[in-house]
Amino acid sequence: MQKLLTDIASTMQQENERGKVADYIPQLAHVDPQRFGIAVALPDGQLFTAGDASEPFSIQSISKVFSLTLALGKRGDGLWSYVGREPSGDPFNSIVQLEHESGKPRNPFINAGAIAVVDAIMMRHEPKEVLAELLSFVRFVANDESICFDHEVAASELAHKHRNASLAHFMKAFGRLEHDVDKVLGTYFHQCALAMSCTQLAHAGLFLVSDGVNKATGTRVVSAQRARRINSLMMMCGHYDGSGEFAYRVGLPGKSGVGGGILAVAPGRASIAVWSPGLDGTGNSLLGTRALEMLAQETGWSVFGH
Ligand code: GLN
């Protein structure tokens, strides 16, 4: 495994085509597209890494896996009145389906859906309290107390909020958001601004590898059924309108973020995190996907065969 990761990292470091770093959040535009990290965490506690695996980056939409998990814990199946479970086939920040579907977002991983999930989690609490709970949950699943929000990234996204603000106001107009739009958005931007390294993310994904239990720490996070369902949502919706392509090429549930990270889950085998800041046309990490494709090919890991 160590040799494979070293090979993948050196192959990716030599690539000239690296995609385009997200610049609609100005703070993310400063990130060096040459960075590349990969980490593989196994249920027995072993960890393999290569490249910039210990460098924290903005996890952005990968955070939606953790907010979904928290929301299911608080709301159970009641969450599905806020948000659906179908792939959208549209870009992550699209507004078009919302009008046709009376303001109910297709799934928890597109922006509109994640904003609805934040609304579901808030339950009349202030953003500060909600964010403290989310942070302590992420620290718990990753077993790492050093994880923090990057407040500069959150402020940068807030200053350029117009697209997400449109989605939130549109949902509010349909009576879909219970809380104040600005409070929901402020919470959402901080959630997306969580900074984590590939190593921390790979650890945080371990509960999805072993039916809800982080075997490395011996703690149950969710039921087996819930872990399987979260994986199914990652498979179908985790890469927006690039989800089919990701399933075809990598064959594992995965969740991407515009910071260039991807968390992928090989059930029963490993939790994998990659980071390469350059994105493809669907807003997913170009080399991150390629690296996962290489890893899946070499290991044979796939949910579609054995
Ligand atoms: N915070 C980002 C946004 O709302 C998250 C998008 C993403 O990572 N795909 O635009």
Side-chain angles (χ1 to χ4, degrees), residues 24-25 59-62 64 92 111 157 164 188-189 192 240 256-259 283:
Y24 75 98
I25 302 172
I59 71 164
Q60 292 295 319
S61 285
I62 303 172
K64 294 169 184 175
F92 64 88
N111 286 10
E157 193 165 359
N164 285 313
Y188 169 74
F189 294 145
C192 290
Y240 327 109
S256 70
V258 288

Side-chain angles (χ1 to χ4, degrees), residues 24 28 34 57 64 67 111 113 164 168 183 185 191 195 197 217 232 265 272:
Y24 75 98
L28 294 183
Q34 281 302 125
F57 60 91
K64 294 169 184 175
S67 56
N111 286 10
N164 285 313
K183 288 187 178 179
L185 283 173
Q191 171 200 306
S197 66
T217 57
S232 80
V265 177
I272 309 135

Side-chain angles (χ1 to χ4, degrees), residues 90-102:
D90 276 325
F92 64 88
N93 56 5
S94 175
I95 200 168
V96 289
Q97 276 166 353
L98 278 180
E99 177 155 30
H100 292 298
E101 296 171 7
S102 38

Side-chain angles (χ1 to χ4, degrees), residues 137-144 147 196 200-201 203-205 214:
F137 180 67
V138 171
R139 287 174 171 177
F140 163 65
V141 291
N143 191 32
D144 190 326
I147 296 165
M196 290 171 78
Q200 290 169 328
L201 260 182
H203 283 140
N214 179 337

